[in-house]
Amino acid sequence: MQHERGTAAATRTDSGHHNRPTAAPDRSHDRRPGAGPEDNPNNPPPAGPTGKRNNTPGSRPQAEQGGAQSATEPTGEQDETPGAVADGEHPVTSAAGGDVEIDPRVVAVRRVGAAGRRWRVAHLAGCAVLLAVALTAGSIAVGAVRDGGRTAAVAAAPNAMSPALLSSGDLDASISALQTHLRAQPKDFGSWATLGLAYVEQARTKGDPARYPQAERALKRSLALQPDNEQALAGRAALAAARHDFNNALAHAEQALEQNPYSERALCSRIDALVELGRYDEASKAAVTADSRRPGVPVFTRYAYVHELRGDVRTARSVLERALATAATPGDIAYVATALGQLAWNQGDYGTALNYYARALAADENYLPALEGRARARSASGDRAAAIKGMEDVVSRSPLPGPLVELGELYEDRGAAGDREKAEAQYALVDAWTALARANGVNADLDTALAAADHGDKRAALRAARAEWARRHTVHTADALAWALHVNGRDTEALPYARRATATGYRNASFLYHRGVIERATGHDKEARTSLRSALKLNPGFSPLGAREARKALEAAQ
């Protein structure tokens, strides 16, 4: 019932409906690196999560080019070559670069996203002021990868386009400007790296993984022109993470750090990869290293998440509050306020969560993770109508698995005429997104396992969960495998994984609910009651359907 807070676009991935909503991972699910105030060489290094400053002479690299900015939704797409087709019409490209037959479900996903974008364009056309892409620290098109609203500046090659010029438009316009520049200067390796990162960001914001092969080609071109250049290596780390290939994300991050030990993007990518591989002790050490070299919002948020995974919510909250106090741009404010909202929601503090989401949206009214989080908090608070309306808006903009499943469950929970059919349509779109993701080199097994266990093919869910567990041992993959085993009637086998999912101290109501159900099925009634009570005490509205089922299970276990 929950999608991982991860680096997939968001992720996230990222984000997930009992974890951090990341509109990718991305959860979202998406914690890719971003640029912070420290990118200005005239600013003193900010205090790190521990309150210490990095004042060691020579410990800071030359400031990366590009200012801070946030991406508004693009209204069209361009290929890196002339003659690109319009949004929703480009062919599905395999990871190897060849065209494959378009799955009708893929067309459905693109149609949902395109319809939402057309509506927003018409709506925004009547506004007196448009929110431009240039509100937070260097959107991808100016050489940055956005991390759930946070962006990371890309150091351009000496002959690269002016970042100031690129920051003048939205993501697609900036991509178009990059393409024009590269036709004139095809040997500009820095701009090729920037273009590759731009495609990664475009895939994330539109929920369309078909851009990943284009990103791969652009990054390869950059490396062919200048082997081992830091920008392209860091871009490859971001691309691998977006595809849920965390071993390669770690390898590329390490390669980038060999070229520049102070690369903010690479330092953050290394933390992300270690977290997503379940190597939490190493991730903690990597966070401390990153804080000593490049303290700032991107590092602070990762530092906080590493602590949250260990159940240290107090430290996580303290670090995020400090980060919010130092946030200087709308993008930083939206990003950190949303992280605080998600942390509060995960602890069942919906009023605080809604306050933080309001602060995030005051800084950036189109920030999808905040819109998604607000909808979840409204649902948990009992305002189902507002929750449905908000989640419909999110899905119209970016039809990713987490929001799709959440919206489907909201329809089911409401139970009005036609709601069951509406819910099934959302679950079908999850399958469509998965098909599109796999066609473009994304490992979508965790998304499949989480969605299919409750709303699809249970045997497919188990196959996917086993495959993901074989790749990486995280609390999220342990929970996904435990639940997939349970829905397939294999509770004895599931119990060790359910216990492992909660072993780090990570406070997640969904994990506790799953554990309680599995404990009850294996005859551990006392433990089941404890787990189910803990889930409902921690976050009584953790899921539209899951919370209801948890209450039923607890009543049956009395």
Side-chain angles (χ1 to χ4, degrees), residues 3 14 46 57 86 91 123 130 163-164 169 190 213 277 292 301 315 328 346 395 401 445 478 497 505 530 550:
H3 290 267
D14 57 354
H123 176 71
L130 297 180
L277 290 169
S292 70
T301 53
T315 297
N346 216 25
V395 165
D445 281 333
Y497 294 105
T530 298

Side-chain angles (χ1 to χ4, degrees), residues 71-72 74 133 139-141 169-176 198 201-202 205:
T72 54
V133 185
S139 157
I140 278 283
D170 66 13
L171 179 60
D172 285 352
S174 298
I175 287 177
S176 180
E201 171 65 0
Q202 193 175 58
T205 57

Side-chain angles (χ1 to χ4, degrees), residues 317-340:
R317 183 185 300 113
S318 176
V319 170
L320 289 173
E321 287 172 346
R322 188 175 297 121
L324 183 59
T326 61
T329 68
D332 281 348
I333 294 168
Y335 177 38
V336 182
T338 297
L340 280 161

Side-chain angles (χ1 to χ4, degrees), residues 351-369:
T352 298
L354 286 168
N355 287 338
Y356 277 123
Y357 291 134
R359 185 167 179 181
L361 292 168
D364 181 352
E365 65 181 3
N366 293 308
Y367 188 42
L368 281 175

